[in-house]
Amino acid sequence: MSYGLLKRAWIVAATCGALWIAADRAVAQPVVEPVDTSATRADNIVEVQDAIARFRERDFDGALKKLEEAAKKNDDLPPAQIMMAQLFAQANMGPAMRQALERAVIAAPQDPEAYAIMGEFALREGRVTDADLLYAQAKKLVDSFAGSKKRKEILQPRIVGGLATVAEARGDWALAQKLLEDWLKLEPKNAAVMERIARAMFQQKNAAGSFEMLQKAKAEDKNMLTPEARLAQFYEAYPDHAQAKIWMDKALQKAPNDLRTLLVAGEWALQTGQMDKAKQYSTEALKADSKSLEAKILRGVVALFQNEIKDAEMWFENAVMQSPGNFAATNNLALALCEQNDESKKRRALEYAERNVRSFERIAEAWSTYGWVLYKNGRLDLAEQALQRAASAGQVSPDTLYFIARVGVDRGQREQAKQLLKAALDAKRPFSKQQEALILYEQLAGKAYDPAEAPKPEPTTPAPKAEGGAGAPPAAKPK
């Protein structure tokens, strides 16, 4: 293994602080996807249908002309270049989409949508300042927009929501709350916006207000996660594990048979190292809904963490049969198969891993699994290349650090491998190869791993307590 890969992986691990883990999926920054702001069903318009047909034939000029005809006939449609950009986006033609948006700005300088779309893509790419400037221009234009009233009503919440996402990304929770409240005025029944307001309130030490807002969201949408479970997630991400446990217990007491609550509780238990509870909650989730794909995958992941490989294989096989294209199911099935002393299963693992890097080439985890499966199949050089691709993604999971370290040991880079293993163990989060990483580290270091030597996290202010809110259960008193 080249020293470059080991060094790069170590630098990424050191600079990422808390290494990658899926703990914050439920409370992560929302991803803003471009949406059609047509105030009418565009696919029912003859000219739009003709444009789509010509686009598929790669007659882009002809498609644009048809879209121009459609836009002239119907004021509720976006400008033609914006619709063209949407077609390019759906065809995964990024550069052409961007060119169409630039032309839209010139062709329709008073229309805000091109700026809104560019802001969305800037956010997706992590260019927060660019997104802020683009959304600010979109907001200026939408406020004075004299076009279709219906389109304006669709664009306004989209743009305000984008500005709120910028504020969230910058940790400006007061501004985020204000913008989200502006959005809620436009869409008073939007439970997802209420939930984001609750998060912003929590981040400002107003846990009681946060809980009240979560209750309003749940009352508006019965499919929302229970307020107690969501607040538990807020506390765990803070981090305040003691409060998270109290609120997760409250959630389970209130909704003991609710599938979503059981799934969230199972993931939370897994991510906090409570393996017995993770197994219990994932099993109860399957009792609540034996056909739940998420429950099958969670149960398989728990088995993988507990080194119950046969059980893991069974659950992931079941999940793949139900959803053959699901990344989590196929990726974890590959990991379960490659761990077994069966050459046919190792070959199957390689087939799944190869398919995933073709279908999900931008996902670092796909390359990490591919590298490990290659390693287990004895293909060291290709394993190193795949793991290098995983390490270059900017975030490196503890499992990936272990995989790279194992290849490094085989290459004779023992000291660098030891550093990577220590970084994985210092993350203080459970991962599937944690026990193997610990054993290998102690072999390389010639001593027992001492977690007290891990870098200390930056001190945080005490988490807010959800006391006194309307209907809010009292928080636990500190010891």
Side-chain angles (χ1 to χ4, degrees):
M1 168 178 268
S2 66
Y3 175 72
L5 172 55
L6 281 163
K7 183 178 180 182
R8 179 162 48 252
W10 165 249
I11 291 172
V12 171
T15 56
C16 281
L19 300 170
W20 177 91
I21 192 162
D24 291 341
R25 277 185 297 180
V27 294
Q29 301 292 349
V31 176
V32 180
E33 297 287 353
V35 296
D36 184 3
T37 57
S38 305
T40 186
R41 282 290 303 277
D43 55 353
N44 288 337
I45 298 173
V46 173
E47 290 82 0
V48 174
Q49 293 174 343
D50 289 345
I52 293 171
R54 295 189 182 208
F55 185 90
R56 287 171 177 164
E57 296 172 358
R58 302 188 71 80
D59 178 9
F60 301 143
D61 290 338
L64 180 60
K65 287 179 181 178
K66 286 295 179 182
L67 292 174
E68 288 171 344
E69 292 176 18
K72 286 179 181 178
K73 291 181 178 180
N74 193 325
D75 290 339
D76 288 339
L77 288 175
Q81 286 287 5
I82 289 176
M83 290 190 283
M84 197 71 186
Q86 291 171 337
L87 291 177
F88 282 127
Q90 291 167 6
N92 200 29
M93 299 172 67
M97 176 206 69
R98 294 176 190 278
Q99 289 175 7
L101 291 173
E102 293 292 346
R103 295 190 194 104
V105 169
I106 297 171
Q110 301 307 312
D111 194 282
E113 187 168 357
Y115 290 100
I117 295 174
M118 288 190 281
E120 288 159 3
F121 279 94
L123 273 179
R124 188 184 298 182
E125 295 167 1
R127 295 182 289 110
V128 178
T129 299
D130 289 349
D132 190 16
L133 294 172
L134 289 163
Y135 276 121
Q137 179 64 15
K139 179 70 165 60
K140 178 181 176 181
L141 291 174
V142 80
D143 287 346
S144 60
F145 187 58
S148 163
K149 180 180 178 182
K150 291 181 179 179
R151 275 193 73 221
K152 182 172 183 175
E153 290 174 351
I154 296 172
L155 281 166
Q156 281 179 313
R158 179 181 180 184
I159 292 167
V160 174
L163 288 167
T165 303
V166 168
E168 289 171 327
R170 290 175 166 170
D172 189 343
W173 297 108
L175 177 59
Q177 181 179 341
K178 178 185 178 302
L179 289 165
L180 290 167
E181 287 170 347
D182 289 344
W183 184 355
L184 196 61
K185 291 175 184 176
L186 297 169
E187 297 179 351
K189 295 183 179 296
N190 193 323
V193 175
M194 295 178 192
E195 193 171 73
R196 286 174 65 178
I197 292 172
R199 181 170 180 248
M201 296 172 78
F202 182 89
Q203 293 291 338
Q204 296 174 82
K205 310 295 186 294
N206 184 5
S210 176
F211 185 76
E212 289 182 28
M213 185 59 68
L214 290 171
Q215 289 178 311
K216 291 178 182 177
K218 180 66 172 177
E220 194 62 52
D221 183 354
K222 301 300 182 185
N223 294 319
M224 298 292 285
L225 184 62
T226 54
E228 293 81 3
R230 184 65 82 205
L231 196 64
Q233 291 181 319
F234 290 171
Y235 272 118
E236 191 63 50
Y238 192 78
D240 186 335
H241 178 66
Q243 285 291 327
K245 183 179 186 307
I246 288 165
W247 284 89
M248 195 64 77
D249 287 344
K250 291 180 185 296
L252 291 165
Q253 290 167 10
K254 187 170 184 178
N257 300 314
D258 179 67
L259 176 63
R260 289 198 64 199
T261 299
L262 289 166
L263 288 171
V264 166
E267 286 194 13
W268 167 76
L270 178 70
Q271 294 153 5
T272 53
Q274 304 174 79
M275 294 303 162
D276 290 341
K277 286 188 176 295
K279 186 173 184 178
Q280 173 191 339
Y281 299 147
S282 58
T283 301
E284 290 175 0
L286 284 164
K287 290 179 181 177
D289 183 356
S290 61
K291 296 182 180 180
S292 168
L293 179 65
E294 293 83 358
K296 292 174 184 177
I297 293 173
L298 177 59
R299 183 67 189 85
V301 170
V302 173
L304 202 61
F305 271 58
Q306 293 186 314
N307 204 32
E308 297 170 349
I309 302 301
K310 291 286 187 181
D311 283 352
E313 178 189 355
M314 178 192 71
W315 288 114
F316 294 137
E317 287 275 21
N318 201 317
V320 170
M321 287 179 63
Q322 182 173 336
S323 181
N326 184 279
F327 173 73
T330 53
N331 185 70
N332 283 299
L333 179 56
L335 289 172
L337 289 170
C338 81
E339 294 296 337
Q340 300 180 56
N341 191 24
D342 183 325
E343 293 304 315
S344 65
K345 290 188 176 183
K346 288 181 179 179
R347 286 194 296 272
R348 282 187 63 213
L350 191 55
E351 290 173 5
Y352 281 117
E354 286 175 338
R355 189 184 310 164
N356 276 348
V357 293
R358 288 195 298 269
S359 301
F360 306 97
E361 62 176 340
R362 294 185 179 182
I363 299 180
E365 192 178 353
W367 289 98
S368 174
T369 296
Y370 184 42
W372 183 241
V373 171
L374 285 165
Y375 178 83
K376 298 294 282 188
N377 276 273
R379 300 166 71 174
L380 196 62
D381 290 342
L382 290 175
E384 181 178 349
Q385 293 173 21
L387 291 169
Q388 183 171 1
R389 181 75 176 263
S392 67
Q395 290 180 316
V396 186
S397 74
D399 277 313
T400 302
L401 290 177
Y402 170 75
F403 298 158
I404 295 173
R406 279 288 298 269
V407 175
V409 170
D410 286 8
R411 295 294 199 198
Q413 302 285 348
R414 295 170 64 88
E415 183 59 32
Q416 294 91 340
K418 184 180 73 174
Q419 293 177 359
L420 293 178
L421 292 166
K422 188 175 187 305
L425 295 167
D426 285 351
K428 292 184 169 44
R429 288 283 194 177
F431 56 102
S432 66
K433 290 297 182 181
Q434 192 166 27
Q435 188 61 32
E436 291 92 331
L438 178 62
I439 293 171
L440 184 57
Y441 172 80
E442 292 180 346
Q443 289 175 350
L444 295 175
K447 63 177 183 178
Y449 169 73
D450 184 359
E453 296 179 358
K456 298 296 186 293
E458 292 294 325
T460 59
T461 56
K465 298 295 190 291
E467 295 175 335
K477 300 298 181 184
K479 295 181 179 178

